[in-house]
Short mmCIF file of all heavy atoms in Angstrom, two decimals:
data_model
loop_
_atom_site.label_atom_id
_atom_site.label_comp_id
_atom_site.label_asym_id
_atom_site.label_seq_id
_atom_site.Cartn_x
_atom_site.Cartn_y
_atom_site.Cartn_z
N ASN A 740 -11.81 -10.84 64.39
CA ASN A 740 -11.74 -11.89 63.31
C ASN A 740 -11.13 -11.27 62.04
O ASN A 740 -10.38 -11.99 61.34
CB ASN A 740 -13.15 -12.40 63.04
CG ASN A 740 -13.64 -13.28 64.16
OD1 ASN A 740 -12.90 -13.64 65.01
ND2 ASN A 740 -14.96 -13.54 64.12
N LEU A 741 -11.49 -10.07 61.77
CA LEU A 741 -10.94 -9.47 60.53
C LEU A 741 -9.41 -9.28 60.66
O LEU A 741 -8.71 -9.57 59.74
CB LEU A 741 -11.61 -8.05 60.27
CG LEU A 741 -13.03 -8.13 59.78
CD1 LEU A 741 -13.67 -6.72 59.77
CD2 LEU A 741 -13.07 -8.72 58.33
N LEU A 742 -8.99 -8.84 61.85
CA LEU A 742 -7.52 -8.68 62.04
C LEU A 742 -6.85 -10.05 61.96
O LEU A 742 -5.81 -10.22 61.32
CB LEU A 742 -7.25 -8.02 63.36
CG LEU A 742 -7.87 -6.57 63.49
CD1 LEU A 742 -7.58 -6.04 64.87
CD2 LEU A 742 -7.26 -5.65 62.46
N ALA A 743 -7.53 -11.04 62.56
CA ALA A 743 -6.93 -12.40 62.59
C ALA A 743 -6.87 -12.98 61.15
O ALA A 743 -5.95 -13.71 60.81
CB ALA A 743 -7.71 -13.31 63.49
N ALA A 744 -7.84 -12.54 60.31
CA ALA A 744 -7.84 -13.02 58.90
C ALA A 744 -6.69 -12.35 58.10
O ALA A 744 -6.45 -12.76 57.01
CB ALA A 744 -9.17 -12.73 58.24
N GLY A 745 -6.07 -11.33 58.68
CA GLY A 745 -4.93 -10.79 57.99
C GLY A 745 -5.10 -9.35 57.52
O GLY A 745 -4.28 -8.79 56.79
N VAL A 746 -6.22 -8.71 57.86
CA VAL A 746 -6.47 -7.33 57.45
C VAL A 746 -5.49 -6.42 58.24
O VAL A 746 -5.39 -6.58 59.44
CB VAL A 746 -7.92 -6.89 57.68
CG1 VAL A 746 -8.14 -5.46 57.33
CG2 VAL A 746 -8.87 -7.76 56.87
N TYR A 747 -4.79 -5.55 57.56
CA TYR A 747 -3.82 -4.72 58.26
C TYR A 747 -3.68 -3.36 57.57
O TYR A 747 -4.09 -3.21 56.42
CB TYR A 747 -2.44 -5.42 58.32
CG TYR A 747 -1.71 -5.46 57.03
CD1 TYR A 747 -0.71 -4.53 56.72
CD2 TYR A 747 -2.08 -6.39 56.01
CE1 TYR A 747 -0.07 -4.58 55.47
CE2 TYR A 747 -1.45 -6.42 54.82
CZ TYR A 747 -0.47 -5.52 54.51
OH TYR A 747 0.19 -5.57 53.33
N TRP A 748 -3.07 -2.40 58.24
CA TRP A 748 -2.77 -1.15 57.68
C TRP A 748 -1.45 -0.69 58.32
O TRP A 748 -1.08 -1.14 59.34
CB TRP A 748 -3.90 -0.15 57.86
CG TRP A 748 -4.28 0.06 59.30
CD1 TRP A 748 -3.79 0.96 60.20
CD2 TRP A 748 -5.26 -0.74 60.05
NE1 TRP A 748 -4.37 0.82 61.40
CE2 TRP A 748 -5.29 -0.21 61.32
CE3 TRP A 748 -6.11 -1.78 59.67
CZ2 TRP A 748 -6.17 -0.69 62.31
CZ3 TRP A 748 -6.97 -2.23 60.64
CH2 TRP A 748 -6.97 -1.75 61.98
N ASP A 749 -0.92 0.31 57.65
CA ASP A 749 0.33 0.88 58.07
C ASP A 749 0.04 2.15 58.79
O ASP A 749 -0.50 3.08 58.23
CB ASP A 749 1.11 1.21 56.80
CG ASP A 749 2.63 1.04 56.96
OD1 ASP A 749 2.98 1.20 58.14
OD2 ASP A 749 3.28 0.69 55.98
N GLU A 750 0.34 2.19 60.09
CA GLU A 750 -0.04 3.40 60.84
C GLU A 750 0.64 4.65 60.31
O GLU A 750 0.14 5.79 60.40
CB GLU A 750 0.17 3.24 62.34
CG GLU A 750 -1.13 2.67 62.95
CD GLU A 750 -0.92 2.04 64.35
OE1 GLU A 750 0.08 2.30 64.96
OE2 GLU A 750 -1.81 1.28 64.72
N SER A 751 1.84 4.46 59.70
CA SER A 751 2.53 5.68 59.23
C SER A 751 1.79 6.26 57.99
O SER A 751 2.06 7.39 57.61
CB SER A 751 3.96 5.25 58.78
OG SER A 751 3.90 4.39 57.72
N GLU A 752 0.89 5.52 57.42
CA GLU A 752 0.11 6.04 56.30
C GLU A 752 -1.15 6.77 56.71
O GLU A 752 -1.91 7.20 55.87
CB GLU A 752 -0.28 4.86 55.34
CG GLU A 752 0.88 4.41 54.50
CD GLU A 752 0.45 3.19 53.63
OE1 GLU A 752 -0.74 2.85 53.50
OE2 GLU A 752 1.40 2.54 53.13
N ASN A 753 -1.41 6.80 58.00
CA ASN A 753 -2.67 7.48 58.43
C ASN A 753 -2.71 8.89 57.94
O ASN A 753 -1.75 9.63 58.01
CB ASN A 753 -2.75 7.57 60.01
CG ASN A 753 -3.07 6.18 60.55
OD1 ASN A 753 -3.36 5.21 59.81
ND2 ASN A 753 -3.04 6.09 61.87
N GLU A 754 -3.90 9.22 57.39
CA GLU A 754 -4.01 10.56 56.73
C GLU A 754 -4.15 11.65 57.81
O GLU A 754 -4.60 11.45 58.92
CB GLU A 754 -5.27 10.63 55.91
CG GLU A 754 -5.35 9.61 54.85
CD GLU A 754 -6.56 8.73 55.09
OE1 GLU A 754 -6.57 7.97 56.13
OE2 GLU A 754 -7.47 8.78 54.31
N SER A 755 -3.73 12.84 57.36
CA SER A 755 -4.01 14.04 58.16
C SER A 755 -5.29 14.64 57.52
O SER A 755 -5.45 14.60 56.26
CB SER A 755 -2.87 15.02 58.17
OG SER A 755 -2.81 15.64 56.94
N LEU A 756 -6.13 15.21 58.33
CA LEU A 756 -7.47 15.70 57.87
C LEU A 756 -7.37 16.64 56.71
O LEU A 756 -8.12 16.59 55.74
CB LEU A 756 -8.16 16.37 59.03
CG LEU A 756 -9.59 16.82 58.77
CD1 LEU A 756 -10.48 15.64 58.45
CD2 LEU A 756 -10.11 17.59 59.90
N GLU A 757 -6.33 17.52 56.72
CA GLU A 757 -6.27 18.63 55.76
C GLU A 757 -6.31 18.11 54.33
O GLU A 757 -6.99 18.61 53.48
CB GLU A 757 -5.00 19.44 55.93
CG GLU A 757 -4.99 20.32 57.21
CD GLU A 757 -4.98 19.52 58.50
OE1 GLU A 757 -4.34 18.47 58.52
OE2 GLU A 757 -5.62 19.91 59.49
N ASN A 758 -5.52 17.07 54.09
CA ASN A 758 -5.48 16.65 52.68
C ASN A 758 -6.48 15.54 52.34
O ASN A 758 -6.41 14.99 51.28
CB ASN A 758 -4.07 16.31 52.21
CG ASN A 758 -3.44 15.31 53.11
OD1 ASN A 758 -4.22 14.52 53.73
ND2 ASN A 758 -2.15 15.36 53.28
N THR A 759 -7.42 15.27 53.21
CA THR A 759 -8.39 14.25 52.88
C THR A 759 -9.68 14.88 52.37
O THR A 759 -10.53 14.22 51.79
CB THR A 759 -8.76 13.39 54.05
OG1 THR A 759 -9.27 14.23 55.10
CG2 THR A 759 -7.52 12.62 54.57
N GLN A 760 -9.86 16.16 52.60
CA GLN A 760 -11.11 16.78 52.17
C GLN A 760 -10.90 17.52 50.86
O GLN A 760 -10.01 18.43 50.83
CB GLN A 760 -11.69 17.68 53.25
CG GLN A 760 -12.16 16.88 54.47
CD GLN A 760 -12.83 17.72 55.51
OE1 GLN A 760 -12.14 18.53 56.09
NE2 GLN A 760 -14.12 17.54 55.67
N PRO A 761 -11.66 17.21 49.87
CA PRO A 761 -11.39 17.74 48.53
C PRO A 761 -11.45 19.24 48.42
O PRO A 761 -10.76 19.84 47.60
CB PRO A 761 -12.41 17.03 47.63
CG PRO A 761 -13.47 16.51 48.52
CD PRO A 761 -12.80 16.27 49.84
N LEU A 762 -12.27 19.90 49.21
CA LEU A 762 -12.37 21.36 49.13
C LEU A 762 -11.65 22.05 50.30
O LEU A 762 -11.95 23.25 50.56
CB LEU A 762 -13.84 21.79 48.98
CG LEU A 762 -14.67 21.19 47.88
CD1 LEU A 762 -16.06 21.78 47.86
CD2 LEU A 762 -13.97 21.37 46.53
N ALA A 763 -10.82 21.33 51.01
CA ALA A 763 -10.15 21.92 52.17
C ALA A 763 -9.39 23.17 51.74
O ALA A 763 -8.79 23.20 50.72
CB ALA A 763 -9.23 20.91 52.81
N GLY A 764 -9.50 24.23 52.59
CA GLY A 764 -8.73 25.44 52.33
C GLY A 764 -9.50 26.36 51.38
O GLY A 764 -9.00 27.49 51.13
N GLN A 765 -10.62 25.97 50.84
CA GLN A 765 -11.29 26.86 49.92
C GLN A 765 -12.37 27.70 50.63
O GLN A 765 -12.96 27.25 51.60
CB GLN A 765 -12.01 25.99 48.88
CG GLN A 765 -11.09 25.16 48.02
CD GLN A 765 -11.72 24.63 46.77
OE1 GLN A 765 -12.91 24.89 46.48
NE2 GLN A 765 -10.97 23.88 45.99
N THR A 766 -12.63 28.91 50.11
CA THR A 766 -13.70 29.74 50.64
C THR A 766 -14.68 30.01 49.52
O THR A 766 -14.33 30.44 48.41
CB THR A 766 -13.14 31.08 51.11
OG1 THR A 766 -12.07 30.79 52.00
CG2 THR A 766 -14.19 31.93 51.82
N TRP A 767 -15.95 29.70 49.84
CA TRP A 767 -17.02 29.84 48.81
C TRP A 767 -18.01 30.94 49.24
O TRP A 767 -18.21 31.18 50.44
CB TRP A 767 -17.78 28.50 48.64
CG TRP A 767 -17.06 27.47 47.87
CD1 TRP A 767 -15.85 26.94 48.11
CD2 TRP A 767 -17.51 26.88 46.65
NE1 TRP A 767 -15.48 26.03 47.17
CE2 TRP A 767 -16.50 25.95 46.25
CE3 TRP A 767 -18.68 27.01 45.87
CZ2 TRP A 767 -16.65 25.20 45.10
CZ3 TRP A 767 -18.80 26.21 44.75
CH2 TRP A 767 -17.80 25.33 44.35
N VAL A 768 -18.64 31.55 48.21
CA VAL A 768 -19.70 32.49 48.52
C VAL A 768 -20.90 32.08 47.69
O VAL A 768 -20.77 31.71 46.53
CB VAL A 768 -19.24 33.93 48.11
CG1 VAL A 768 -20.38 34.95 48.25
CG2 VAL A 768 -18.06 34.35 49.00
N LEU A 769 -22.09 32.13 48.37
CA LEU A 769 -23.34 31.76 47.64
C LEU A 769 -24.13 33.05 47.42
O LEU A 769 -24.28 33.93 48.25
CB LEU A 769 -24.20 30.84 48.49
CG LEU A 769 -23.45 29.66 49.14
CD1 LEU A 769 -24.41 28.84 50.00
CD2 LEU A 769 -22.86 28.78 48.03
N THR A 770 -24.65 33.13 46.19
CA THR A 770 -25.46 34.40 45.87
C THR A 770 -26.54 34.06 44.87
O THR A 770 -26.50 33.03 44.20
CB THR A 770 -24.51 35.51 45.35
OG1 THR A 770 -25.32 36.65 45.05
CG2 THR A 770 -23.80 35.11 44.03
N GLY A 771 -27.57 34.90 44.87
CA GLY A 771 -28.70 34.70 43.94
C GLY A 771 -29.70 33.63 44.41
O GLY A 771 -29.50 33.06 45.52
N THR A 772 -30.69 33.35 43.66
CA THR A 772 -31.67 32.35 44.05
C THR A 772 -31.23 30.98 43.61
O THR A 772 -30.99 30.72 42.42
CB THR A 772 -33.05 32.72 43.39
OG1 THR A 772 -33.31 34.08 43.56
CG2 THR A 772 -34.15 31.88 43.98
N LEU A 773 -31.10 30.08 44.57
CA LEU A 773 -30.68 28.72 44.30
C LEU A 773 -31.84 27.77 44.54
O LEU A 773 -32.77 28.12 45.23
CB LEU A 773 -29.48 28.39 45.19
CG LEU A 773 -28.26 29.30 44.99
CD1 LEU A 773 -27.35 29.24 46.19
CD2 LEU A 773 -27.49 28.91 43.72
N SER A 774 -31.81 26.59 43.95
CA SER A 774 -33.01 25.77 44.02
C SER A 774 -33.11 25.04 45.39
O SER A 774 -34.10 24.46 45.69
CB SER A 774 -33.03 24.76 42.88
OG SER A 774 -31.81 23.99 42.95
N ALA A 775 -32.05 25.09 46.24
CA ALA A 775 -32.16 24.55 47.57
C ALA A 775 -31.84 25.66 48.52
O ALA A 775 -31.14 26.62 48.15
CB ALA A 775 -31.18 23.41 47.75
N PRO A 776 -32.32 25.59 49.80
CA PRO A 776 -32.00 26.64 50.72
C PRO A 776 -30.49 26.74 50.89
O PRO A 776 -29.79 25.72 50.84
CB PRO A 776 -32.66 26.15 52.03
CG PRO A 776 -33.69 25.20 51.65
CD PRO A 776 -33.26 24.55 50.35
N ARG A 777 -30.00 28.01 51.06
CA ARG A 777 -28.56 28.23 51.17
C ARG A 777 -27.91 27.40 52.25
O ARG A 777 -26.80 26.89 52.08
CB ARG A 777 -28.31 29.69 51.47
CG ARG A 777 -28.47 30.49 50.21
CD ARG A 777 -27.65 31.72 50.29
NE ARG A 777 -28.13 32.58 49.22
CZ ARG A 777 -27.93 33.88 49.17
NH1 ARG A 777 -27.25 34.46 50.09
NH2 ARG A 777 -28.40 34.55 48.20
N ASN A 778 -28.65 27.25 53.35
CA ASN A 778 -28.06 26.46 54.47
C ASN A 778 -27.74 25.06 54.03
O ASN A 778 -26.73 24.50 54.46
CB ASN A 778 -29.09 26.39 55.61
CG ASN A 778 -28.60 27.29 56.72
OD1 ASN A 778 -27.45 27.71 56.69
ND2 ASN A 778 -29.46 27.55 57.71
N GLU A 779 -28.56 24.47 53.19
CA GLU A 779 -28.34 23.09 52.79
C GLU A 779 -27.09 23.00 51.91
O GLU A 779 -26.30 22.08 52.01
CB GLU A 779 -29.55 22.58 51.95
CG GLU A 779 -30.68 22.10 52.84
CD GLU A 779 -31.86 21.57 52.03
OE1 GLU A 779 -31.67 21.12 50.91
OE2 GLU A 779 -32.97 21.63 52.61
N ILE A 780 -26.95 24.00 51.02
CA ILE A 780 -25.77 23.99 50.17
C ILE A 780 -24.48 24.21 50.99
O ILE A 780 -23.45 23.62 50.74
CB ILE A 780 -25.95 25.06 49.07
CG1 ILE A 780 -27.13 24.68 48.19
CG2 ILE A 780 -24.70 25.21 48.23
CD1 ILE A 780 -27.46 25.60 47.09
N LYS A 781 -24.65 25.11 52.01
CA LYS A 781 -23.53 25.36 52.90
C LYS A 781 -23.08 24.06 53.55
O LYS A 781 -21.86 23.78 53.63
CB LYS A 781 -24.03 26.40 53.93
CG LYS A 781 -22.93 26.90 54.78
CD LYS A 781 -23.43 28.13 55.62
CE LYS A 781 -22.35 28.49 56.61
NZ LYS A 781 -22.72 28.46 57.95
N VAL A 782 -24.03 23.29 54.03
CA VAL A 782 -23.71 22.02 54.73
C VAL A 782 -22.90 21.11 53.77
O VAL A 782 -21.90 20.50 54.15
CB VAL A 782 -24.93 21.34 55.29
CG1 VAL A 782 -24.65 19.92 55.74
CG2 VAL A 782 -25.55 22.19 56.36
N ILE A 783 -23.36 21.05 52.49
CA ILE A 783 -22.72 20.17 51.56
C ILE A 783 -21.25 20.64 51.36
O ILE A 783 -20.31 19.89 51.43
CB ILE A 783 -23.42 20.26 50.13
CG1 ILE A 783 -24.80 19.69 50.30
CG2 ILE A 783 -22.62 19.51 49.08
CD1 ILE A 783 -25.62 19.80 48.99
N LEU A 784 -21.07 21.99 51.17
CA LEU A 784 -19.70 22.50 50.97
C LEU A 784 -18.85 22.24 52.17
O LEU A 784 -17.65 21.83 52.06
CB LEU A 784 -19.80 24.02 50.68
CG LEU A 784 -20.23 24.32 49.25
CD1 LEU A 784 -20.61 25.79 49.14
CD2 LEU A 784 -19.09 24.01 48.31
N GLU A 785 -19.39 22.45 53.35
CA GLU A 785 -18.57 22.28 54.56
C GLU A 785 -18.18 20.78 54.74
O GLU A 785 -17.12 20.47 55.22
CB GLU A 785 -19.39 22.82 55.81
CG GLU A 785 -19.33 24.31 55.78
CD GLU A 785 -20.23 24.95 56.85
OE1 GLU A 785 -21.01 24.17 57.51
OE2 GLU A 785 -20.09 26.14 57.08
N ARG A 786 -19.13 19.93 54.30
CA ARG A 786 -18.83 18.52 54.42
C ARG A 786 -17.60 18.16 53.61
O ARG A 786 -16.81 17.26 53.92
CB ARG A 786 -20.00 17.70 53.95
CG ARG A 786 -20.12 16.40 54.71
CD ARG A 786 -21.36 15.69 54.46
NE ARG A 786 -21.67 15.53 53.03
CZ ARG A 786 -22.90 15.59 52.51
NH1 ARG A 786 -23.89 15.87 53.29
NH2 ARG A 786 -23.04 15.43 51.24
N PHE A 787 -17.38 18.87 52.48
CA PHE A 787 -16.21 18.62 51.69
C PHE A 787 -15.00 19.47 52.08
O PHE A 787 -14.00 19.55 51.40
CB PHE A 787 -16.52 18.84 50.20
CG PHE A 787 -17.42 17.78 49.67
CD1 PHE A 787 -18.69 18.05 49.22
CD2 PHE A 787 -16.95 16.43 49.55
CE1 PHE A 787 -19.52 17.05 48.73
CE2 PHE A 787 -17.80 15.43 49.05
CZ PHE A 787 -19.07 15.77 48.64
N GLY A 788 -15.14 20.15 53.20
CA GLY A 788 -13.97 20.89 53.74
C GLY A 788 -13.92 22.36 53.42
O GLY A 788 -12.96 23.03 53.82
N ALA A 789 -14.88 22.89 52.66
CA ALA A 789 -14.83 24.33 52.29
C ALA A 789 -15.44 25.19 53.37
O ALA A 789 -16.23 24.66 54.18
CB ALA A 789 -15.59 24.54 51.00
N LYS A 790 -15.01 26.45 53.42
CA LYS A 790 -15.64 27.43 54.32
C LYS A 790 -16.61 28.22 53.48
O LYS A 790 -16.40 28.45 52.27
CB LYS A 790 -14.61 28.42 54.84
CG LYS A 790 -13.79 27.85 55.98
CD LYS A 790 -13.21 29.06 56.77
CE LYS A 790 -12.16 28.55 57.71
NZ LYS A 790 -10.81 28.69 57.20
N VAL A 791 -17.74 28.64 54.04
CA VAL A 791 -18.68 29.47 53.30
C VAL A 791 -18.73 30.82 53.87
O VAL A 791 -18.96 30.98 55.14
CB VAL A 791 -20.08 28.82 53.24
CG1 VAL A 791 -21.05 29.73 52.51
CG2 VAL A 791 -20.01 27.48 52.53
N SER A 792 -18.45 31.88 53.03
CA SER A 792 -18.42 33.24 53.59
C SER A 792 -19.50 34.04 53.02
O SER A 792 -20.10 33.71 51.97
CB SER A 792 -17.05 33.79 53.23
OG SER A 792 -17.09 35.22 53.27
N GLY A 793 -19.88 35.15 53.66
CA GLY A 793 -20.95 36.00 53.21
C GLY A 793 -20.53 37.10 52.26
O GLY A 793 -21.33 37.74 51.59
N SER A 794 -19.22 37.31 52.13
CA SER A 794 -18.78 38.36 51.23
C SER A 794 -17.62 37.95 50.32
O SER A 794 -16.82 37.08 50.67
CB SER A 794 -18.38 39.57 52.06
OG SER A 794 -17.34 39.18 52.97
N VAL A 795 -17.62 38.56 49.18
CA VAL A 795 -16.63 38.22 48.13
C VAL A 795 -15.36 39.05 48.37
O VAL A 795 -15.42 40.22 48.61
CB VAL A 795 -17.16 38.49 46.73
CG1 VAL A 795 -16.14 38.21 45.63
CG2 VAL A 795 -18.42 37.73 46.51
N SER A 796 -14.17 38.37 48.33
CA SER A 796 -12.90 39.10 48.35
C SER A 796 -11.96 38.40 47.41
O SER A 796 -12.30 37.36 46.83
CB SER A 796 -12.36 39.09 49.78
OG SER A 796 -11.80 37.80 50.01
N ALA A 797 -10.74 38.95 47.32
CA ALA A 797 -9.80 38.32 46.44
C ALA A 797 -9.46 36.94 46.87
O ALA A 797 -8.96 36.10 46.11
CB ALA A 797 -8.53 39.22 46.32
N LYS A 798 -9.73 36.67 48.18
CA LYS A 798 -9.40 35.33 48.69
C LYS A 798 -10.48 34.27 48.41
O LYS A 798 -10.31 33.09 48.67
CB LYS A 798 -9.19 35.42 50.23
CG LYS A 798 -7.86 36.10 50.55
CD LYS A 798 -7.52 35.90 51.99
CE LYS A 798 -6.26 36.65 52.33
NZ LYS A 798 -6.34 37.30 53.61
N THR A 799 -11.65 34.75 47.90
CA THR A 799 -12.69 33.79 47.63
C THR A 799 -12.26 32.79 46.54
O THR A 799 -11.71 33.24 45.51
CB THR A 799 -13.96 34.60 47.10
OG1 THR A 799 -14.23 35.59 48.02
CG2 THR A 799 -15.16 33.66 46.96
N THR A 800 -12.51 31.53 46.79
CA THR A 800 -12.07 30.52 45.77
C THR A 800 -13.13 30.50 44.63
O THR A 800 -12.78 30.39 43.50
CB THR A 800 -12.04 29.13 46.43
OG1 THR A 800 -11.39 29.27 47.72
CG2 THR A 800 -11.31 28.13 45.56
N CYS A 801 -14.41 30.54 45.06
CA CYS A 801 -15.45 30.36 44.05
C CYS A 801 -16.77 30.97 44.50
O CYS A 801 -17.06 30.94 45.67
CB CYS A 801 -15.67 28.84 43.79
SG CYS A 801 -16.67 28.47 42.40
N VAL A 802 -17.48 31.51 43.52
CA VAL A 802 -18.80 32.02 43.84
C VAL A 802 -19.84 31.19 43.11
O VAL A 802 -19.70 30.90 41.92
CB VAL A 802 -18.97 33.48 43.36
CG1 VAL A 802 -20.44 33.96 43.49
CG2 VAL A 802 -18.07 34.41 44.20
#
Side-chain angles (χ1 to χ4, degrees):
N740 289 347
L741 287 169
L742 299 177
V746 177
Y747 72 101
W748 56 90
D749 213 331
E750 268 162 19
S751 65
E752 282 175 15
N753 284 356
E754 304 117 292
S755 74
L756 184 65
E757 288 68 35
N758 51 30
T759 60
Q760 290 186 295
L762 303 184
Q765 299 195 0
T766 307
W767 283 60
V768 173
L769 312 178
T770 180
T772 314
L773 299 160
S774 59
R777 282 204 195 164
N778 252 349
E779 278 180 26
I780 296 179
K781 188 169 173 240
V782 169
I783 296 176
L784 282 165
E785 287 173 347
R786 212 170 52 217
F787 288 114
K790 279 202 195 97
V791 176
S792 159
S794 57
V795 179
S796 76
K798 286 194 184 138
T799 308
T800 318
C801 189
V802 170

